Amino acid sequence: MSMPSDAPQASLNPLDPAAPLHDSPQSPKTQNAHPQAIPLETDSAVTKAEKYERHPDASVAEGDEPSSKRIKLDVEPDIITSVPGGRQKGVVSIKAEFLVNVLGARNDRRRAIVDDDAAEALPHLDQRDQADSRSGKRKKEKNRGQNKSRNFGTSRDERGLCQSRANYPEFSPAKCQYGDSCKFEHDLRKYLKDWKREDLKTFEGECPIWALKGKCDSGFKCRFAGSHMKEQETSDGKQELVLVEKEGHARSMLNGEGEEHEAGIVNVITTQAKADLLKRKTPTPKADEYAAFLDKSGKEVLERSEHPSSKDLVKNVDENANGNDSVQDIRAQYTEPPFLPSEKRRIYFGPETPVLAPLTTQGNLPFRRLCVAMGAQVTYSEMAMSMPLIQGQRSEWALMKAHESETRPPRYLGSPIVADYDNSRDFRFGAQIAGNKALQVLKATEIIHSLCPHLRVIDLNCGCPIDLVYRQGAGSALLDNQSKLEKILRGMNAVSGEIPITVKIRMGTRDGKPNAVKLINRLVYGGSEASELGGGASGIAAITLHGRSRQQRYTRSADWEYISDCAALIKCHNEHGNELADTNQEVDARYQPAGGKVYFIGNGDCYSHADYNRHLSEAKVDSVMVARGALIKPWIFEEIEQGQYLDKSATERLAIIEQYVRYGLEAWGSDEMGVGTTRRFLLEWLSFACRYVPVGIMEHLPPNLQDRPPAWRGRNELETLLGSDNYLDWIKISEMFLGPAHKDFKFVPKHKSSSYGGEDMTVVEG
């Protein structure tokens, strides 16, 4: 029997049901002592005890993490402030019908700040940790924070097939050098039955490698082996398993035939070349000669600006004959480099050449290939460290590989006319390296020039903000040692043959103290030390400026006003040259890049064709480098070319993911390990791609890269799935193309805002 809602309700007396229990009269002391709390969006559905039970190693609660683990901001990020037009700055405007209310989710916009630079130099962090574990070193303190020794598990057959059997007919295997002591399986049928997982059914069951090359390098280990193997009857009536090659299939011959041949891949380094590097048998005569020159005269001359007596020597050259002789003696020590910057191959940057930034981890060959297919005109390798290159480390030299599509010339419309520019000789792909010592960088540059013929430029990274790289004196640390940086770039020009040298920098290392203008002036005209030697400018062909400081990271928007100021400086140099230089810093044309023009590229927060065109027209840069914008939506290059927003449907976006998976299998192989590697890098990319908000559900344009959306749902289930920031959904997407993940495969997302998979969420449609 129901009672009126405003009547006091009596409770059932468990001892005497006939005598109901009534609430006692409330006194002022007891009234509202524990009022019912209204659930907030930031409240979690998981109690602290449950969190501890799930994560017993956690020493602090989610909201009470130590200050050392928080992203430190000198200035509040640009979020949650009102702007004209009814929009909130820092928040994506979503149409009302696509908004959802999330209870129990961490929906605070401040928590949604993504530490985007966590991915920079990540492989080098992992390599260091793995090297310590291999050498038996124990870490003195527990790793804290993000991206510390991320463990991806393994993706291997339960027992692998011996390579002597993998690519040979069942009854005619190669000889195994280990014989009976070999730890791998020699019985082909037993391997296929007991140790190898079942074939994948995706891609219509056809192996992408076999479809491309006509022959699969993984052989019987391929997860699509059924598409290129068969049983055939032998002369004695037995059934033999053999591999099938695709007839009449044209193969790419860019690298020629041989043991190191990879179809459609260039800059492949042979095993022997890596072994020679490891054994220090690879000569670097140019780098050694230049290093000897620096040892002989560099220290004295590079320090000349710090000693008043040296300045007086130049100032009073006409008054002091001995001083004049001393200056001439110093200049006589200078050795002409074998290649002058003006004699190098000429390059071109213009509005029609949008640039894909060097992206550590995500900037792998399959992703670059995907972006080139969508209109990227210039690409760069992931940042490679100089010392591992010199030592012949396989993982570092793998970064130099490029797809044949990256060897084609970039788009050039012929206007403006660039003298002596031969577009047919130009490439799209450039290598980026980093280092803290001049000799190491010079050796790496000379070796790259000799082993990698398909390179547009060699770029020196002076912008990496990661602590490990910075503390070693590389990356953005060089911004505070401009004399050393100039010396390295000049040396790179001396040893790189016809390959031009470029540099990527930031505004500076500290907030509020930019020094890029001073650095650019030095790189374009040359420092006073170089002028005294007669060495001229550094001769760089292009400068890329990221409009942030190292300290700032990604906490605020890029400063395009500062980029514009630097662009104006470069423009004045290109138009007037020596007219703007000091008398003592006259620019020698021989030390200028080919054609005398230094190109200037801006970088930071480019997320649409509108951003790209605005930066070209307002900042007056030659071109714009796209980084996170390409990771979130690779078709940004299509938008730039077509000059409009593209509202890609969920089906079209899924087709792009499928294409990436195909490229990944072609690059890393279709065996169990190759599938696992492809899955891992796909998930890394999806951690960015999930941040895309379809323009069709946005209330206001243009989108801003720094904005974060409230909880939203897509126009269909697939679009909602592609926009999920739960890494378990990313794995679900990967399984559409790569099947169920291996039982030992692990994935830990980079960003804090995506690592909440263990919490329960209640979703209420709004």
Side-chain angles (χ1 to χ4, degrees), residues 26-100:
Q26 291 185 340
S27 67
K29 294 183 178 181
T30 60
Q31 188 173 10
N32 296 328
H34 299 285
Q36 177 65 43
I38 299 175
L40 301 177
E41 290 186 350
T42 54
D43 291 340
S44 174
V46 183
T47 65
K48 187 177 296 186
E50 289 172 325
K51 287 182 180 179
Y52 182 81
E53 183 178 0
R54 295 179 183 182
H55 308 286
D57 296 333
S59 58
V60 292
E62 175 66 31
D64 301 322
E65 59 185 8
S67 58
S68 61
K69 293 183 66 176
R70 301 193 191 106
I71 300 177
K72 296 181 179 180
L73 309 179
D74 291 338
V75 182
E76 252 344 88
D78 299 335
I79 57 175
I80 313 303
T81 57
S82 298
V83 297
R87 300 176 60 181
Q88 278 189 317
K89 190 174 182 180
V91 179
V92 179
S93 297
I94 305 292
K95 294 178 181 178
E97 60 266 31
F98 298 104
L99 290 173
V100 296

Coordinates of all heavy atoms in Angstrom, one line a residue, residues 26-100:
Q26 N 13.7 15.5 14.7 CA 15.0 16.0 14.4 C 15.3 17.3 15.2 O 14.4 18.1 15.3 CB 15.2 16.3 12.9 CG 15.2 15.0 12.0 CD 15.5 15.4 10.6 OE1 15.3 16.5 10.2 NE2 16.0 14.4 9.8
S27 N 16.4 17.3 15.8 CA 16.8 18.5 16.5 C 17.7 19.3 15.6 O 18.2 18.8 14.7 CB 17.5 18.1 17.8 OG 18.8 17.5 17.5
P28 N 18.0 20.6 16.0 CA 18.9 21.4 15.2 C 20.3 20.7 15.1 O 21.0 21.0 14.1 CB 18.9 22.7 15.9 CG 17.7 22.8 16.6 CD 17.3 21.4 17.0
K29 N 20.6 19.9 16.1 CA 21.9 19.3 16.1 C 22.0 18.1 15.1 O 23.1 17.8 14.5 CB 22.3 18.8 17.5 CG 22.5 19.9 18.5 CD 23.0 19.4 19.8 CE 23.2 20.5 20.8 NZ 23.7 20.0 22.1
T30 N 20.9 17.4 14.9 CA 20.9 16.3 14.0 C 20.4 16.5 12.6 O 20.7 15.8 11.7 CB 20.1 15.1 14.6 OG1 18.7 15.6 14.8 CG2 20.6 14.7 16.0
Q31 N 19.7 17.6 12.5 CA 19.1 17.9 11.2 C 20.2 18.3 10.2 O 21.1 19.0 10.5 CB 18.1 19.1 11.3 CG 17.3 19.4 10.0 CD 16.3 20.4 10.3 OE1 16.3 21.1 11.3 NE2 15.4 20.6 9.3
N32 N 20.1 17.6 9.0 CA 21.1 17.8 7.9 C 22.5 17.5 8.3 O 23.5 18.1 7.8 CB 21.0 19.2 7.4 CG 19.7 19.5 6.8 OD1 19.0 18.6 6.2 ND2 19.2 20.8 6.9
A33 N 22.7 16.5 9.3 CA 24.0 16.2 9.7 C 24.8 15.5 8.5 O 26.0 15.7 8.3 CB 24.0 15.3 10.9
H34 N 24.1 14.6 7.8 CA 24.7 14.0 6.6 C 23.7 14.1 5.5 O 23.0 13.1 5.1 CB 25.0 12.5 7.0 CG 25.9 12.3 8.1 ND1 27.2 12.5 8.0 CD2 25.7 12.0 9.4 CE1 27.8 12.3 9.1 NE2 26.9 11.9 10.0
P35 N 23.6 15.2 4.9 CA 22.7 15.4 3.8 C 23.1 14.5 2.6 O 24.3 14.2 2.4 CB 22.7 16.9 3.5 CG 24.1 17.3 3.9 CD 24.4 16.4 5.1
Q36 N 22.1 14.2 1.8 CA 22.5 13.4 0.6 C 23.3 14.2 -0.4 O 22.9 15.3 -0.8 CB 21.2 13.0 -0.1 CG 21.4 12.2 -1.4 CD 22.0 10.9 -1.2 OE1 21.7 10.2 -0.3 NE2 23.0 10.6 -2.0
A37 N 24.5 13.7 -0.7 CA 25.4 14.5 -1.6 C 24.9 14.3 -3.0 O 24.5 13.2 -3.5 CB 26.8 14.0 -1.4
I38 N 25.0 15.4 -3.8 CA 24.7 15.3 -5.2 C 25.9 14.8 -6.0 O 27.0 15.4 -5.8 CB 24.2 16.7 -5.7 CG1 23.0 17.2 -5.0 CG2 24.0 16.6 -7.3 CD1 22.6 18.6 -5.4
P39 N 25.8 13.7 -6.7 CA 26.9 13.2 -7.5 C 27.5 14.3 -8.4 O 26.8 15.0 -9.1 CB 26.4 12.0 -8.2 CG 25.1 11.7 -7.5 CD 24.6 12.9 -7.0
L40 N 28.8 14.4 -8.3 CA 29.5 15.4 -9.2 C 30.1 14.6 -10.4 O 30.3 13.4 -10.3 CB 30.6 16.1 -8.5 CG 30.1 17.0 -7.3 CD1 31.3 17.6 -6.6 CD2 29.1 18.0 -7.8
E41 N 30.4 15.3 -11.5 CA 31.0 14.6 -12.6 C 32.3 14.1 -12.3 O 32.8 13.1 -12.9 CB 31.1 15.6 -13.8 CG 29.7 16.0 -14.4 CD 29.9 16.9 -15.6 OE1 31.0 17.3 -15.9 OE2 28.9 17.1 -16.3
T42 N 33.0 14.7 -11.4 CA 34.4 14.2 -11.1 C 34.4 13.1 -10.0 O 35.5 12.6 -9.7 CB 35.2 15.4 -10.5 OG1 34.5 16.0 -9.4 CG2 35.4 16.5 -11.6
D43 N 33.2 12.8 -9.4 CA 33.2 11.7 -8.5 C 33.4 10.4 -9.2 O 32.9 10.1 -10.3 CB 31.8 11.7 -7.8 CG 31.7 12.9 -6.8 OD1 32.7 13.5 -6.5 OD2 30.5 13.2 -6.5
S44 N 34.2 9.5 -8.5 CA 34.5 8.2 -9.1 C 33.5 7.2 -8.6 O 33.1 7.2 -7.4 CB 35.9 7.8 -8.8 OG 36.1 6.5 -9.3
A45 N 33.1 6.2 -9.4 CA 32.3 5.1 -9.0 C 33.1 4.1 -8.3 O 32.5 3.1 -7.8 CB 31.6 4.5 -10.2
V46 N 34.4 4.2 -8.2 CA 35.2 3.3 -7.6 C 35.7 3.9 -6.3 O 36.3 5.0 -6.2 CB 36.4 2.9 -8.5 CG1 37.3 1.8 -7.8 CG2 35.9 2.4 -9.8
T47 N 35.6 3.2 -5.2 CA 36.0 3.7 -3.9 C 37.5 3.6 -3.8 O 38.2 2.9 -4.5 CB 35.4 2.9 -2.7 OG1 35.9 1.5 -2.8 CG2 33.9 2.9 -2.8
K48 N 38.0 4.3 -2.8 CA 39.5 4.3 -2.6 C 40.0 2.9 -2.2 O 41.0 2.5 -2.7 CB 39.9 5.3 -1.5 CG 41.4 5.5 -1.3 CD 41.7 6.6 -0.3 CE 41.2 7.9 -0.7 NZ 41.7 9.0 0.2
A49 N 39.2 2.2 -1.4 CA 39.6 0.9 -1.1 C 39.6 0.0 -2.3 O 40.5 -0.9 -2.4 CB 38.6 0.3 0.0
E50 N 38.6 0.1 -3.2 CA 38.6 -0.7 -4.4 C 39.8 -0.4 -5.3 O 40.4 -1.2 -5.9 CB 37.3 -0.5 -5.1 CG 36.1 -1.1 -4.4 CD 34.8 -0.7 -5.1 OE1 34.7 0.4 -5.6 OE2 33.9 -1.6 -5.1
K51 N 40.1 0.9 -5.3 CA 41.3 1.3 -6.1 C 42.6 0.7 -5.6 O 43.4 0.2 -6.3 CB 41.5 2.8 -6.1 CG 40.4 3.6 -7.0 CD 40.7 5.1 -7.0 CE 39.7 5.8 -7.8 NZ 39.9 7.3 -7.8
Y52 N 42.7 0.7 -4.2 CA 43.9 0.1 -3.6 C 43.9 -1.4 -3.9 O 45.0 -2.0 -4.1 CB 43.9 0.4 -2.1 CG 45.2 -0.2 -1.5 CD1 46.4 0.5 -1.5 CD2 45.1 -1.4 -0.8 CE1 47.5 0.0 -0.9 CE2 46.3 -1.9 -0.2 CZ 47.5 -1.2 -0.3 OH 48.6 -1.7 0.3
E53 N 42.8 -2.0 -3.8 CA 42.7 -3.5 -4.1 C 43.2 -3.8 -5.5 O 43.8 -4.8 -5.8 CB 41.3 -4.0 -3.8 CG 41.2 -5.5 -4.0 CD 39.8 -6.0 -3.7 OE1 38.9 -5.2 -3.4 OE2 39.6 -7.2 -3.8
R54 N 42.8 -2.9 -6.5 CA 43.1 -3.2 -7.8 C 44.6 -2.8 -8.1 O 45.3 -3.4 -8.9 CB 42.2 -2.4 -8.8 CG 40.8 -2.8 -8.7 CD 39.9 -1.9 -9.6 NE 38.5 -2.3 -9.5 CZ 37.6 -1.7 -10.2 NH1 37.9 -0.8 -11.1 NH2 36.3 -2.1 -10.1
H55 N 45.1 -1.7 -7.4 CA 46.4 -1.3 -7.6 C 47.1 -1.2 -6.3 O 47.3 -0.1 -5.8 CB 46.4 0.1 -8.3 CG 45.6 0.1 -9.6 ND1 46.0 -0.4 -10.8 CD2 44.3 0.7 -9.8 CE1 45.0 -0.3 -11.7 NE2 44.0 0.4 -11.1
P56 N 47.5 -2.3 -5.7 CA 48.1 -2.3 -4.4 C 49.5 -1.6 -4.3 O 49.9 -1.1 -3.3 CB 48.3 -3.8 -4.1 CG 48.3 -4.4 -5.4 CD 47.5 -3.7 -6.3
D57 N 50.1 -1.4 -5.5 CA 51.4 -0.7 -5.5 C 51.3 0.8 -5.4 O 52.3 1.5 -5.2 CB 52.3 -1.1 -6.7 CG 52.6 -2.6 -6.7 OD1 52.6 -3.2 -5.6 OD2 52.8 -3.2 -7.7
A58 N 50.1 1.3 -5.7 CA 49.9 2.7 -5.7 C 50.1 3.3 -4.3 O 49.4 2.9 -3.3 CB 48.5 3.1 -6.2
S59 N 51.0 4.2 -4.1 CA 51.2 4.8 -2.8 C 50.3 6.0 -2.5 O 50.2 6.4 -1.3 CB 52.7 5.2 -2.7 OG 53.0 6.2 -3.7
V60 N 49.7 6.6 -3.5 CA 48.9 7.7 -3.3 C 47.6 7.6 -4.1 O 47.5 6.8 -5.0 CB 49.6 9.0 -3.7 CG1 50.8 9.3 -2.7 CG2 50.0 9.0 -5.1
A61 N 46.6 8.3 -3.7 CA 45.3 8.3 -4.4 C 45.5 9.0 -5.7 O 46.4 9.8 -5.9 CB 44.2 8.9 -3.5
E62 N 44.5 8.8 -6.6 CA 44.6 9.4 -7.9 C 44.7 11.0 -7.8 O 45.4 11.6 -8.5 CB 43.4 9.0 -8.7 CG 43.3 9.7 -10.1 CD 44.4 9.3 -11.0 OE1 44.9 8.2 -10.9 OE2 44.8 10.1 -11.8
G63 N 43.9 11.5 -6.9 CA 43.8 13.0 -6.8 C 44.9 13.5 -5.9 O 45.0 14.7 -5.8
D64 N 45.6 12.7 -5.2 CA 46.6 13.2 -4.3 C 48.0 12.8 -4.7 O 48.9 12.5 -3.8 CB 46.3 12.6 -2.9 CG 44.9 12.9 -2.4 OD1 44.5 14.1 -2.6 OD2 44.3 12.1 -1.8
E65 N 48.3 12.7 -6.0 CA 49.6 12.3 -6.4 C 50.6 13.4 -6.0 O 50.3 14.6 -5.9 CB 49.6 12.1 -7.9 CG 49.2 13.3 -8.7 CD 49.1 13.0 -10.2 OE1 49.2 11.8 -10.5 OE2 49.0 14.0 -11.0
P66 N 51.9 13.0 -5.8 CA 52.9 13.9 -5.4 C 53.1 15.0 -6.5 O 52.9 14.7 -7.6 CB 54.1 13.1 -5.2 CG 53.9 11.8 -6.0 CD 52.4 11.6 -5.9
S67 N 53.6 16.1 -6.0 CA 53.8 17.2 -7.0 C 54.8 16.9 -8.0 O 54.8 17.4 -9.1 CB 54.3 18.5 -6.2 OG 55.5 18.2 -5.5
S68 N 55.8 15.9 -7.7 CA 56.8 15.6 -8.7 C 56.2 14.9 -9.9 O 56.8 14.8 -11.0 CB 57.8 14.7 -8.1 OG 57.2 13.5 -7.6
K69 N 54.9 14.3 -9.8 CA 54.3 13.6 -10.9 C 53.4 14.5 -11.7 O 52.8 14.1 -12.7 CB 53.6 12.3 -10.4 CG 54.5 11.3 -9.8 CD 53.7 10.1 -9.4 CE 53.1 9.3 -10.6 NZ 52.4 8.1 -10.2
R70 N 53.1 15.6 -11.1 CA 52.1 16.5 -11.8 C 52.9 17.3 -12.9 O 54.1 17.6 -12.8 CB 51.5 17.5 -10.8 CG 50.7 16.8 -9.7 CD 49.8 17.8 -9.0 NE 49.2 17.2 -7.8 CZ 49.6 17.5 -6.6 NH1 50.6 18.4 -6.4 NH2 49.1 17.0 -5.5
I71 N 52.1 17.7 -13.9 CA 52.7 18.6 -14.9 C 52.8 20.0 -14.3 O 51.8 20.6 -13.9 CB 51.9 18.6 -16.2 CG1 51.8 17.3 -16.8 CG2 52.4 19.6 -17.2 CD1 50.9 17.2 -18.0
K72 N 54.0 20.5 -14.1 CA 54.1 21.8 -13.5 C 53.9 22.9 -14.5 O 54.5 23.0 -15.6 CB 55.6 21.9 -12.9 CG 55.8 20.9 -11.8 CD 57.2 21.1 -11.2 CE 57.4 20.0 -10.1 NZ 58.7 20.1 -9.5
L73 N 53.1 23.9 -14.1 CA 52.8 25.0 -15.0 C 53.2 26.3 -14.4 O 52.8 26.5 -13.2 CB 51.3 25.0 -15.3 CG 50.6 23.7 -15.8 CD1 49.2 23.9 -16.1 CD2 51.3 23.2 -17.1
D74 N 53.9 27.1 -15.1 CA 54.2 28.4 -14.6 C 53.0 29.3 -14.7 O 52.8 30.3 -14.0 CB 55.5 29.0 -15.3 CG 56.7 28.3 -14.9 OD1 56.7 27.6 -13.9 OD2 57.7 28.3 -15.7
V75 N 52.3 29.1 -15.8 CA 51.1 29.9 -16.1 C 50.0 28.9 -16.3 O 50.1 27.9 -16.9 CB 51.3 30.8 -17.3 CG1 50.1 31.6 -17.6 CG2 52.5 31.6 -17.1
E76 N 48.8 29.3 -15.8 CA 47.6 28.4 -16.0 C 47.4 28.1 -17.5 O 47.5 29.0 -18.3 CB 46.4 29.1 -15.5 CG 45.7 28.7 -14.2 CD 46.1 27.3 -13.6 OE1 47.0 27.3 -12.8 OE2 45.3 26.4 -13.9
P77 N 47.0 26.9 -17.9 CA 46.8 26.6 -19.3 C 45.5 27.3 -19.7 O 44.7 27.8 -19.0 CB 46.5 25.1 -19.2 CG 47.1 24.6 -18.0 CD 47.0 25.7 -17.0
D78 N 45.5 27.5 -21.1 CA 44.4 28.2 -21.7 C 43.1 27.3 -21.7 O 42.7 26.8 -22.7 CB 44.7 28.6 -23.1 CG 45.9 29.5 -23.2 OD1 46.2 30.1 -22.2 OD2 46.6 29.5 -24.2
I79 N 42.4 27.2 -20.6 CA 41.2 26.4 -20.5 C 40.2 27.0 -19.7 O 40.4 27.8 -18.8 CB 41.5 25.0 -20.0 CG1 42.2 25.1 -18.6 CG2 42.4 24.2 -20.9 CD1 42.4 23.7 -17.9
I80 N 38.9 26.7 -19.9 CA 37.8 27.0 -19.1 C 37.7 28.5 -18.9 O 37.6 29.0 -17.8 CB 37.8 26.3 -17.8 CG1 38.0 24.8 -18.0 CG2 36.4 26.4 -17.1 CD1 37.1 24.1 -18.9
T81 N 37.8 29.3 -20.0 CA 37.5 30.7 -19.9 C 36.6 31.1 -21.0 O 36.6 30.5 -22.0 CB 38.8 31.5 -20.0 OG1 39.4 31.2 -21.3 CG2 39.8 31.2 -18.9
S82 N 35.7 32.1 -20.7 CA 34.7 32.4 -21.7 C 35.3 33.2 -22.8 O 36.2 34.1 -22.6 CB 33.6 33.2 -21.0 OG 33.0 32.4 -20.0
V83 N 34.8 33.0 -24.0 CA 35.2 33.8 -25.2 C 33.9 34.3 -25.8 O 32.9 33.7 -25.7 CB 36.1 33.0 -26.1 CG1 37.4 32.6 -25.5 CG2 35.3 31.8 -26.6
P84 N 34.0 35.4 -26.6 CA 32.8 35.9 -27.3 C 32.2 34.8 -28.2 O 32.9 33.9 -28.7 CB 33.4 37.0 -28.2 CG 34.6 37.5 -27.5 CD 35.2 36.2 -26.9
G85 N 30.9 34.8 -28.3 CA 30.2 33.9 -29.2 C 29.6 32.7 -28.4 O 29.2 31.7 -29.0
G86 N 29.7 32.7 -27.1 CA 29.1 31.6 -26.3 C 30.0 30.4 -26.2 O 29.5 29.4 -25.8
R87 N 31.2 30.5 -26.6 CA 32.1 29.4 -26.5 C 33.0 29.5 -25.3 O 33.2 30.5 -24.7 CB 33.1 29.3 -27.8 CG 32.3 29.2 -29.1 CD 33.3 29.3 -30.3 NE 34.2 28.2 -30.2 CZ 35.2 28.1 -31.2 NH1 35.3 28.9 -32.1 NH2 36.0 27.1 -31.1
Q88 N 33.5 28.3 -24.9 CA 34.5 28.3 -23.8 C 35.8 28.0 -24.3 O 36.0 27.1 -25.1 CB 34.1 27.2 -22.8 CG 33.0 27.6 -21.8 CD 32.9 26.5 -20.7 OE1 32.9 25.3 -21.0 NE2 32.8 26.9 -19.5
K89 N 36.8 28.9 -24.0 CA 38.1 28.7 -24.5 C 38.7 27.4 -23.9 O 38.7 27.2 -22.7 CB 39.0 29.9 -24.1 CG 40.4 29.9 -24.8 CD 41.1 31.2 -24.5 CE 42.5 31.2 -25.3 NZ 43.2 32.4 -25.0
G90 N 39.3 26.6 -24.7 CA 39.9 25.3 -24.3 C 38.9 24.2 -24.3 O 39.3 23.1 -24.1
V91 N 37.6 24.4 -24.7 CA 36.7 23.4 -24.8 C 36.0 23.3 -26.2 O 35.6 24.3 -26.7 CB 35.5 23.6 -23.7 CG1 34.5 22.5 -23.8 CG2 36.1 23.6 -22.3
V92 N 36.0 22.1 -26.8 CA 35.4 22.0 -28.1 C 33.9 22.1 -28.0 O 33.3 21.6 -27.1 CB 35.7 20.6 -28.7 CG1 35.1 20.4 -30.0 CG2 37.3 20.4 -28.8
S93 N 33.3 22.9 -28.8 CA 31.9 23.1 -28.8 C 31.2 22.0 -29.6 O 31.4 21.9 -30.8 CB 31.5 24.5 -29.5 OG 32.1 25.6 -28.7
I94 N 30.4 21.2 -28.9 CA 29.7 20.0 -29.5 C 28.3 20.4 -29.6 O 27.7 20.9 -28.6 CB 30.0 18.8 -28.6 CG1 31.5 18.5 -28.4 CG2 29.3 17.6 -29.3 CD1 32.2 18.1 -29.7
K95 N 27.6 20.0 -30.7 CA 26.2 20.2 -30.8 C 25.5 19.4 -29.7 O 25.9 18.3 -29.3 CB 25.7 19.7 -32.1 CG 26.2 20.5 -33.3 CD 25.8 19.9 -34.6 CE 26.3 20.8 -35.8 NZ 25.9 20.2 -37.1
A96 N 24.4 20.0 -29.2 CA 23.7 19.5 -28.0 C 23.3 18.0 -28.1 O 23.4 17.2 -27.2 CB 22.5 20.3 -27.6
E97 N 22.9 17.6 -29.3 CA 22.3 16.3 -29.5 C 23.4 15.2 -29.4 O 23.1 14.0 -29.3 CB 21.6 16.2 -30.8 CG 22.4 16.4 -32.0 CD 22.3 17.9 -32.5 OE1 22.1 18.8 -31.6 OE2 22.4 18.1 -33.7
F98 N 24.7 15.6 -29.4 CA 25.8 14.6 -29.3 C 26.5 14.7 -28.0 O 27.5 14.0 -27.8 CB 26.8 14.9 -30.5 CG 26.2 14.8 -31.8 CD1 25.9 15.9 -32.6 CD2 25.9 13.5 -32.4 CE1 25.4 15.8 -33.9 CE2 25.4 13.4 -33.6 CZ 25.1 14.5 -34.4
L99 N 26.0 15.5 -27.1 CA 26.6 15.5 -25.7 C 26.0 14.4 -24.9 O 24.9 14.1 -25.0 CB 26.4 16.9 -25.1 CG 27.1 18.1 -25.7 CD1 26.6 19.4 -25.0 CD2 28.6 17.9 -25.5
V100 N 26.9 13.9 -24.0 CA 26.4 12.9 -23.0 C 26.9 13.3 -21.6 O 27.9 14.0 -21.5 CB 26.9 11.5 -23.3 CG1 26.3 11.0 -24.6 CG2 28.4 11.4 -23.3

